Amino acid sequence: MFRALTIVSVIVVIAVVVKFGRRLAGQPVKNAAVPKLGRYPLLEALIAFAMWASLILLIGTGFLGATLWGHALCGFTTLIHVGCGALFGVSLALLAVFRAEAYNLAGPDTCGRFSTAQKVCFWVIAICGLGLIFSMLISMFRILGTDGQHLATQVHKLSALIALLATIIYAGTASKRD
Amino acid sequence: MKQVTFIAAFLIVAARMSAGIDEAPKKFHEWSGSRTIPVHRIALSDENGENIVPQYKLSMPYSSRKTCGACHDYNKISRGWHFNYAEKDALKGRPGQPWIWYDEITGMQLPIAGRGWKNTWKPEELGLTPWNFVKTFGRNLPGGGLGDVEDGPDDPTARWNLSGKLEIDCLTCHSASPSQNHSEWVKQVARENFRWAATAAAGLGEVGGMASRMPSSWAVIQGPNLDDTQYAIAPFVTYDTRLFDRKKRTLIDIASKPQDRHCLFCHSVAADGKQRKDLDVDVHTRSGINCADCHRNGVDHMVNRGYEVEAVHRGDLSVASSSCRGCHLGVKGAKGVMAIGGRLGAPAPEHKGLPPVHFDKLACTTCHSGPWPSDKLVRVRTARANRLGITGVANWVTDLPYIVEPVFIKGEDGKIAPHRMTWPSFWGKIEGDKVKPLPPQEIALAGTNIFDAPRVVADILNAMNIGDPTNGKPALVSGKKVFYSNVDNGLSLDNSKTSAEQTGIVIVKDGALVPLVPAFNPAAEQMDPNIQVRITDLLKALNACNGKPDGVPVMTVGDKLYQLDETASMKTGNLKDEVDLATVKSDFIKLPSKSVAWGWLKDKKFSPLAPDFVLRSVVATVGTSFTFTEEQVEMVLKALASGDKSGKMKFAYICSGKMFTLDQAGKLKVSDNAAAEPAAWPLAHEVRSAKQALGAKKCTDCHSVKAPFFFGKVKARGPMKTASVQVKQMFELQGQDASFHRLFGLSFLVRSMFKAVIFGAACLIAAILALYALLALNRVTKFLGSRENK
């Protein structure tokens, strides 16, 4: 079921991005004054890179097995996934500190660094990240019974799927933005 | 014509009617719904269906087929799990404990199962006829099966006409009487008194005589053997008439649900070296649940074995509710109360903090049953393999076969479960890449004078035990160990060690070693008459020794040799004149010898009292659980090869997970072979409490770099003392990746830190989300407020 849901939703989202990507990217208004955007400091860039890279690895390790081979994580993939999970959690938290203001939905849109779609995606990823982290963290403590563990796994999987879709939209709209 | 037609029609109708009468299905008693157990005050019937008159001296033993079968469907019962092992279409099911055909002398231990379980042999593959099978394993059979077949294969050794059939002994499980005696059953089976075994075991009467001693021409109808009242006494039963009423009925105390003690007679398992007081019983037993509460059956006697996929194997979903999961968690796919679980008050496990992946990969027993995994596997003895629980004068318990637990390997359902494991040991001939076992009789013949090393020494020691002034007992000293002959005409290792380096026979008195012959000067012209008498007596004793080789006994010291002359008097000669010293080849005796040496002399050839290999074998094996050495195996393999007239046959000894053969130079060669792979079967009891479950306290019970669960060593062992044994680690047997589990185990070293870091990160994200959520809320309230102001 989850496998089918993943495949269908990913295809739909990719199609939406392809079709409506430019619109979602929110192009700047013609003749409008475009503010000069400087480069991010190295540390911040590194944190962002770590977050996106770990997110992609998490998606790869978490979804490829589940969608292509239809089985859960096993072997070294688990170790990579868990390691990347920690990196993702930490880098997402730090990035949230650094960029929360930049991704502020109340901030400038069309002439800013990020489109509204990207901002929404970032906050969706942050919320899902929280779900991802807590669903796994709580299962590591002697709190949840078997049913709770299954529920935590479901929360983890759904959060991951939503984060995956948000990532696709973020990446898709970012590439279409002038 | 009409008359003929009428008569023919009448005959046909009559024939059909009579056939109909014969074929009319017998009506058996069915459960009425009453929960009481009917009082079984019944008359007994013998195998011919005749009522038994207990006062009659030539009464036959009772027959369960005729007595119990009068009301219960014997034929249906005989297809139950305990009896259908030899049927071609019998359910295979999950592997259980195989029978182990054990022969101490030839070092054979072969796992046998009629159901074709992995790494076991079927009886027919080994040439085990129903007769031989019942003779070998009947002690733990409940009757029926191969003991009760109508037409067995031709077997010239079978004596069914004397022994009678080994019918199902219903009372062996269903008796509630304290006089039900399984040891009596074993005794009667050993005496080939098959038809009498159930009567004796039930305590209905006293059974005497032995069918095994009767000439094969005897038949039960002939009654007592009037020609022999001492040895070949025909089996008979003398009923205890006090147990019968005037109508010749007796009260059979029945338990419809078998009592645990009856199950445990065949299904007991105990760790080697443990005392009874050290044993904790299964948690289910402690809570008042009996074996048959879970392992229950209907009239078909297909006992629920309780493993998870049994319902699939049997095509019956209701069976699943007797498994651990079915009882505690409910049956997947079932409806109603069966789906809920909690049967018999079974608590629903919480499994707090246990990732669900464990339920996909592990059986319940992995964490909850058997001994706690440690670096060393636990050696266990089982009732069926090691003959436990048989009481009487004789000692039935055997040290081998060697069985260990818990070996964590994947079962047929792909889940890791704790198993018991044993390695086959047998002599066989190599056919292609397979090894076919040879019968132990053939091997015993080839190994004559090779296998019985302890007996050879014991015979010599017994012969030299002629009584002497020192009042000590002769003993063999070798390798700083002292060996003495025991009451079973074998050898025992004395616990006291000696610093004596020499090998030889001495007198042991109060722990002190005294020479067999007092020291004397062989060069002296006159010998002490007492010493002369002593030497003469010892030489005479040796001359009468059991198994004396071809030759005369001699004693030598210095350059003198002493032996008996024609008149059985001692004569002295010069060593060099009497013995061809160049032919003396022994690691233990060098001639001329400074101390007294004994041996055999034939054609000027001197040989020690016991061959060197015998001494080496005794030193290596006596007092241990090993039976023989590599040297002896090499000798037997050579003997087998020399006995093969074609010269093309290749022989092997399978032991300790390896195959031993002879190489071109006639030396022992070790290799791997599928025939040497171990037989394993899952264990389920004793079940430990949840608090004592594996991983209940910490994950590192299994997930650490040295956890026995993954990295414990499983070392094979067999009757031969050898360093070439199969050693595998658990992860190999499980088909797991060792480096992954090491790395995963290492990850638990930093797991606390990991949890703290990501918890901190999660809190930070949550705080930021909360902050912006509040800001958003602030905006909403401002917006709503400003609208109101406008």
Side-chain angles (χ1 to χ4, degrees):
Chain A
M1 177 64 188
F2 182 76
R3 192 180 179 190
L5 181 70
T6 306
I7 293 167
V8 170
S9 56
V10 166
I11 290 169
V12 168
V13 167
I14 289 172
V16 167
V17 168
V18 170
K19 183 80 179 167
F20 307 107
R22 282 192 78 80
R23 203 182 297 171
L24 284 169
Q27 302 305 325
V29 181
K30 277 183 182 174
N31 305 324
V34 180
K36 256 196 157 183
L37 297 171
R39 292 176 70 92
Y40 279 121
L42 182 64
L43 179 66
E44 197 179 330
L46 277 175
I47 291 167
F49 174 77
M51 197 224 59
W52 290 112
S54 60
L55 184 59
I56 287 163
L57 273 170
L58 283 168
I59 290 165
T61 51
F63 279 101
L64 281 182
T67 53
L68 294 183
W69 297 287
H71 61 72
L73 282 169
C74 60
F76 285 104
T77 324
T78 315
L79 288 177
I80 295 168
H81 193 82
V82 172
C84 289
L87 183 62
F88 170 74
V90 172
S91 55
L92 179 65
L94 293 175
L95 201 66
V97 172
F98 278 102
R99 292 199 182 163
E101 200 48 42
Y103 285 113
N104 191 344
L105 290 167
D109 176 20
T110 49
C111 54
R113 188 182 290 269
F114 306 110
S115 67
T116 306
Q118 283 175 295
K119 287 175 182 176
V120 170
C121 285
F122 175 81
W123 290 111
V124 167
I125 290 169
I127 293 165
C128 288
L130 196 64
L132 286 164
I133 293 169
F134 269 122
S135 60
M136 274 303 101
L137 192 62
I138 201 166
S139 65
M140 289 181 188
F141 292 94
R142 293 176 196 277
I143 298 167
L144 301 176
T146 308
D147 291 340
Q149 291 274 350
H150 279 296
L151 185 67
T153 310
Q154 293 305 322
V155 169
H156 192 82
K157 284 160 87 174
L158 277 173
S159 302
L161 179 58
I162 297 166
L164 166 66
L165 301 177
T167 308
I168 293 169
I169 295 169
Y170 187 102
T173 53
S175 65
K176 304 258 171 151
R177 196 170 163 88
D178 292 335
Chain B
M1 185 64 189
K2 273 185 181 176
Q3 273 183 331
V4 174
T5 313
F6 176 75
I7 291 165
F10 175 77
L11 286 172
I12 290 167
V13 170
R16 285 209 168 182
M17 279 178 74
S18 66
I21 289 163
D22 286 347
E23 287 168 13
K26 198 174 177 181
K27 283 213 167 180
F28 296 106
H29 283 197
E30 285 179 12
W31 184 53
S32 64
S34 168
R35 298 196 178 195
T36 59
I37 299 166
V39 174
H40 282 66
R41 186 176 291 282
I42 52 172
L44 304 179
S45 301
D46 66 17
E47 63 187 25
N48 301 314
E50 300 290 336
N51 274 4
I52 285 169
V53 180
Q55 292 80 7
Y56 180 47
K57 280 190 175 176
L58 299 179
S59 282
M60 288 281 281
Y62 95 92
S63 155
S64 55
R65 182 191 287 273
K66 298 292 181 185
T67 307
C68 310
C71 300
H72 305 283
D73 192 344
Y74 185 94
N75 288 332
K76 195 172 187 179
I77 292 165
S78 68
R79 302 210 65 195
W81 180 258
H82 279 97
F83 319 108
N84 69 359
Y85 50 87
E87 288 177 14
K88 278 181 184 166
D89 58 345
L91 181 72
K92 188 180 172 189
R94 185 179 80 166
Q97 179 181 356
W99 296 101
I100 300 176
W101 190 11
Y102 171 60
D103 185 72
E104 190 177 8
I105 294 169
T106 59
M108 183 186 78
Q109 50 185 61
L110 266 173
I112 295 174
R115 299 178 199 276
W117 291 327
K118 193 182 172 190
N119 296 333
T120 63
W121 299 81
K122 287 190 171 182
E124 58 268 26
E125 289 175 317
L126 304 170
L128 261 182
T129 60
W131 172 259
N132 289 328
F133 185 85
V134 173
K135 278 276 288 172
T136 311
F137 303 115
R139 63 176 187 274
N140 286 111
L141 286 173
L146 288 175
D148 199 14
V149 286
E150 283 300 323
D151 294 306
D154 286 337
D155 178 10
T157 61
R159 287 159 61 89
W160 294 110
N161 56 328
L162 285 87
S163 66
K165 285 182 180 172
L166 194 68
E167 290 180 353
I168 294 171
D169 182 7
C170 307
L171 296 179
T172 206
C173 299
H174 292 289
S175 173
S177 165
S179 60
Q180 183 67 32
N181 186 351
H182 296 286
S183 295
E184 191 61 34
W185 169 271
V186 175
K187 204 163 74 179
Q188 298 304 331
V189 168
R191 292 173 176 180
E192 295 179 7
N193 297 343
F194 294 169
R195 60 160 68 85
W196 290 267
T199 305
L204 292 167
E206 185 196 334
V207 172
M210 295 189 198
S212 59
R213 289 184 179 177
M214 297 304 292
S216 52
S217 57
W218 180 81
V220 69
I221 200 163
Q222 292 172 341
N225 184 6
L226 300 175
D227 299 330
D228 190 344
T229 55
Q230 295 296 315
Y231 180 79
I233 301 169
F236 64 91
V237 55
T238 309
Y239 283 99
D240 185 347
T241 51
R242 293 169 303 171
L243 301 175
F244 293 81
D245 62 13
R246 282 194 304 123
K247 292 179 180 174
K248 302 170 192 67
R249 299 178 309 178
T250 185
L251 177 72
I252 307 281
D253 196 0
I254 290 290
S256 60
K257 192 175 75 179
Q259 296 173 350
D260 287 3
R261 65 189 178 102
H262 297 315
C263 309
L264 290 171
F265 179 73
C266 293
H267 297 286
S268 282
V269 180
D272 184 35
K274 268 204 170 184
Q275 298 293 311
R276 193 170 189 141
K277 67 176 174 60
D278 300 330
L279 296 174
D280 287 343
V281 295
D282 193 287
V283 288
H284 297 92
T285 311
R286 285 300 300 165
S287 62
I289 295 174
N290 300 119
C291 305
D293 285 326
C294 299
H295 302 290
R296 55 179 76 179
N297 58 267
V299 180
D300 63 0
H301 280 62
M302 282 300 288
V303 181
N304 292 350
R305 298 178 65 208
Y307 60 94
E308 271 185 35
V309 290
E310 188 179 15
V312 180
H313 287 169
R314 285 175 58 180
D316 179 1
L317 196 62
S318 69
V319 174
S321 65
S322 288
S323 68
C324 314
R325 193 183 288 258
C327 228
H328 288 275
L329 292 162
V331 179
K332 224 176 180 180
K335 286 176 182 170
V337 74
M338 213 162 89
I340 302 168
R343 203 176 179 190
L344 301 173
E350 291 180 332
H351 288 135
K352 280 186 176 172
L354 184 68
V357 67
H358 288 81
F359 303 117
D360 300 331
K361 296 193 170 181
L362 307 177
C364 305
T365 49
T366 308
C367 304
H368 292 281
S369 295
W372 192 265
S374 66
D375 292 335
K376 207 175 173 192
L377 292 172
V378 178
R379 187 186 174 185
V380 292
R381 288 193 170 89
T382 76
R384 283 166 54 202
N386 303 87
R387 308 177 188 187
L388 311 181
I390 306 168
T391 50
V393 178
N395 179 29
W396 286 75
V397 181
T398 58
D399 192 44
L400 291 174
Y402 185 81
I403 302 170
V404 291
E405 68 175 37
V407 182
F408 293 96
I409 55 173
K410 279 182 183 167
E412 285 185 349
D413 58 355
K415 289 185 179 180
I416 296 171
H419 283 65
R420 296 198 175 101
M421 190 173 265
T422 190
W423 288 263
S425 301
F426 63 91
W427 301 85
K429 55 183 175 188
I430 301 170
E431 293 175 349
D433 58 347
K434 292 187 175 170
V435 186
K436 193 184 175 192
L438 291 167
Q441 305 90 316
E442 204 174 305
I443 303 304
L445 202 67
T448 309
N449 299 327
I450 301 174
F451 285 131
D452 48 4
R455 192 194 53 76
V456 168
V457 175
D459 281 344
I460 293 165
L461 293 178
N462 286 336
M464 292 182 124
N465 190 14
I466 54 172
D468 66 303
T470 58
N471 290 327
K473 199 178 166 189
L476 171 74
V477 177
S478 190
K480 295 186 179 179
K481 292 176 180 174
V482 182
F483 305 92
Y484 60 90
S485 66
N486 57 33
V487 288
D488 297 324
N489 202 26
L491 271 190
S492 292
L493 176 66
D494 197 325
N495 289 330
S496 58
K497 280 190 171 182
T498 173
S499 58
E501 290 286 352
Q502 91 277 11
T503 293
I505 296 169
V506 293
I507 297 287
V508 179
K509 190 191 171 191
D510 300 333
L513 308 183
V514 182
L516 197 62
V517 175
F520 67 97
N521 180 10
E525 282 189 11
Q526 283 288 324
M527 184 188 272
D528 182 339
N530 290 331
I531 293 175
Q532 194 170 345
V533 169
R534 174 91 180 133
I535 295 170
T536 309
D537 289 347
L538 284 167
L539 288 171
K540 282 179 183 172
L542 279 175
N543 210 22
C545 173
N546 273 345
K548 179 179 85 76
D550 202 9
V552 294
V554 293
M555 190 199 90
T556 174
V557 59
D559 59 351
K560 299 289 183 201
L561 184 103
Y562 306 91
Q563 58 182 311
L564 298 175
D565 62 15
E566 293 78 14
T567 60
S569 304
M570 192 191 85
K571 71 171 182 181
T572 310
N574 279 326
L575 181 69
K576 284 180 185 171
D577 298 337
E578 301 284 345
V579 177
D580 180 2
L581 291 175
T583 62
V584 181
K585 283 175 185 169
S586 171
D587 293 343
F588 300 101
I589 294 178
K590 301 276 181 252
L591 296 185
S593 167
K594 285 180 185 173
S595 58
V596 168
W598 300 82
W600 309 101
L601 188 68
K602 192 196 172 193
D603 300 334
K604 296 186 96 175
K605 194 176 172 187
F606 178 93
S607 50
L609 279 184
D612 282 9
F613 85 85
V614 166
L615 294 178
R616 281 193 287 265
S617 169
V618 163
V619 171
T621 62
V622 173
T624 72
S625 62
F626 298 109
T627 308
F628 39 70
T629 60
E630 285 187 349
E631 184 182 16
Q632 286 168 292
V633 169
E634 194 177 301
M635 290 169 78
V636 175
L637 286 174
K638 281 177 184 167
L640 283 168
S642 64
D644 171 36
K645 287 174 187 169
S646 69
K648 290 176 182 171
M649 223 176 271
K650 282 190 173 180
F651 298 93
Y653 182 56
I654 299 286
C655 182
S656 308
K658 298 279 179 186
M659 181 171 80
F660 297 83
T661 50
L662 291 179
D663 63 11
Q664 297 291 342
K667 293 285 168 199
L668 213 56
K669 188 176 78 173
V670 189
S671 57
D672 292 320
N673 190 283
E677 289 303 313
W681 60 98
L683 67 91
H685 303 284
E686 316 288 356
V687 175
R688 299 188 303 269
S689 64
K691 203 171 181 183
Q692 291 184 339
L694 202 55
K697 261 203 158 177
K698 48 188 196 291
C699 306
T700 47
D701 285 345
C702 298
H703 299 300
S704 69
V705 284
K706 285 182 180 175
F709 182 83
F710 286 118
F711 304 106
K713 281 183 182 170
V714 183
K715 196 174 175 185
R717 191 160 158 171
M720 179 176 68
K721 190 172 185 184
T722 174
S724 306
V725 296
Q726 187 188 68
V727 182
K728 285 186 178 174
Q729 283 184 282
M730 296 277 190
F731 68 82
E732 287 178 79
L733 296 165
Q734 292 164 8
Q736 305 265 8
D737 188 333
S739 45
F740 164 71
H741 282 289
R742 281 204 184 91
L743 204 57
F744 193 57
L746 275 173
S747 76
F748 280 83
L749 295 175
V750 293
R751 182 155 284 218
S752 302
M753 196 178 73
F754 175 86
K755 286 177 188 172
V757 168
I758 61 166
F759 181 73
C763 287
L764 194 56
I765 296 167
I768 291 167
L769 283 171
L771 174 68
Y772 279 83
L774 288 171
L775 285 174
L777 194 64
N778 183 31
R779 278 187 170 251
V780 170
T781 52
K782 274 185 179 171
F783 168 74
L784 292 173
S786 64
R787 195 182 57 171
E788 187 67 22
N789 291 337
K790 280 175 186 173

